[in-house]
Amino acid sequence: MKTSEIATLKTWITESDNIVFFGGAGVSTESGIPDFRSVDGLYHQKFDYPPETILSHSFFYSHTEEFYRFYREKMLPLEAKPNAAHLALAKLEQEGKLKAIVTQNIDGLHQKAGSKCVYELHGSVYRNRCQRCGKQYPPEFIRDFRGIPHCDCGGLIKPEVVLYEEGLDEACIDGAIRAISRADILIVGGTSLTVYPAAGLIRYYGGNKLVLINRDETQYDSYANLIFRDPIGTVLSQVV
Ligand SMILES: [Zn+2]
């Protein structure tokens, strides 16, 4: 990591009160949560279907028990702790510098770190709703329930995470677009910007302080004003 680039980012942050952070799976991998889209082979151990199939809308309703077996084992890291990146972003918000976080992660770690304005594009494992009466249930209820989780009313409980074949929440997208289009600094971290809707959303940024923090190259590198290849927590903890 170059000292001059860290100094530049630090100056920008000092001068700004309208920073937006856009984060992908790489933000959570630093908390030990694996990227379920990565090809690490996480999936091939115990399950008869690929994750894209299991985590789909139709599979949820047709193979609910199998869905929940996978979901409990792979998608509910409730003991995970926020890392240096989450903490730095929460601090920037408390200082009035950061206006919003837009995330593709569903693990609730930004809120655990203290962040308030978080647009969760893919939903959250912390919200679970009865499909019949709408009652909300905490993730511990899902984790501890034996078999398929049902409500007191008998209805099926579904996590409010966006499954494959499902659309994103429009209010959430609108909020994210509004924040990104007004930002004077957009920091993008831990995403290769290949998964919908990430690439589309950052096109709404019209400023000249686009910061990319990602281990690998992305198709947006040529648009970036600063690029870091280091861990997000390492970069952000040096500039807050
Ligand atoms: Zn119910």
Side-chain angles (χ1 to χ4, degrees), residues 70 77 135:
F70 180 92
K135 184 175 175 187

Side-chain angles (χ1 to χ4, degrees), residues 129-135 137 150-157:
R129 189 183 290 277
C130 170
Q131 299 296 284
R132 186 184 290 168
C133 75
K135 184 175 175 187
Y137 286 87
H150 280 88
C151 180
D152 304 333
C153 82
L156 174 63
I157 299 170

Side-chain angles (χ1 to χ4, degrees), residues 44-230:
H44 302 284
Q45 301 146 6
K46 292 181 187 168
F47 297 92
D48 297 334
Y49 304 89
E52 294 79 5
T53 302
I54 297 175
L55 296 172
S56 69
H57 182 85
S58 51
F59 195 90
F60 176 80
Y61 288 103
S62 64
H63 298 71
T64 313
E65 195 166 350
E66 177 84 356
F67 172 92
Y68 270 115
R69 192 164 74 85
F70 180 92
Y71 183 83
R72 283 194 187 95
E73 190 166 321
K74 303 291 187 194
M75 310 293 286
L76 278 183
L78 300 181
E79 65 298 329
K81 299 220 169 20
N83 61 52
H86 298 105
L87 296 171
L89 292 164
K91 183 164 180 265
L92 285 174
E93 186 186 52
Q94 280 149 22
E95 291 169 350
K97 298 191 150 299
L98 183 130
K99 288 294 182 269
I101 290 170
V102 181
T103 182
Q104 297 176 283
N105 300 329
I106 59 174
D107 49 45
L109 286 176
H110 286 295
Q111 288 90 338
K112 267 193 195 172
S115 289
K116 304 288 182 220
C117 184
V118 185
Y119 294 102
E120 296 173 303
L121 296 172
H122 293 157
S124 172
V125 300
Y126 281 82
R127 296 188 296 272
N128 305 277
R129 189 183 290 277
C130 170
Q131 299 296 284
R132 186 184 290 168
C133 75
K135 184 175 175 187
Q136 282 277 1
Y137 286 87
E140 293 79 8
F141 182 87
I142 305 294
R143 181 193 61 197
D144 300 338
F145 201 94
R146 297 208 172 195
I148 299 171
H150 280 88
C151 180
D152 304 333
C153 82
L156 174 63
I157 299 170
K158 184 172 181 289
E160 292 197 86
V161 300
V162 179
L163 301 176
Y164 289 96
E165 306 163 355
E166 293 179 342
L168 303 183
D169 181 76
E170 280 186 30
C172 180
I173 289 274
D174 289 348
I177 289 173
R178 213 174 310 121
I180 290 169
S181 60
R182 291 174 183 171
D184 58 39
I185 302 176
L186 179 63
I187 304 174
V188 179
T191 168
S192 55
L193 292 170
T194 51
V195 180
Y196 173 84
L201 280 181
I202 74 159
R203 288 201 196 100
Y204 286 93
Y205 175 64
N208 59 0
K209 289 170 183 147
L210 175 63
V211 184
L212 294 188
I213 310 173
N214 199 51
R215 188 184 54 195
D216 305 312
E217 278 183 31
T218 78
Q219 55 178 329
Y220 277 85
D221 283 9
S222 57
Y223 299 98
N225 304 99
L226 272 180
I227 296 177
F228 297 93
R229 296 279 177 235
D230 315 85

Side-chain angles (χ1 to χ4, degrees), residues 11-24:
T11 305
W12 288 357
I13 288 175
T14 304
E15 292 169 352
S16 175
D17 64 355
N18 195 354
I19 303 164
V20 170
F21 179 80
F22 186 106

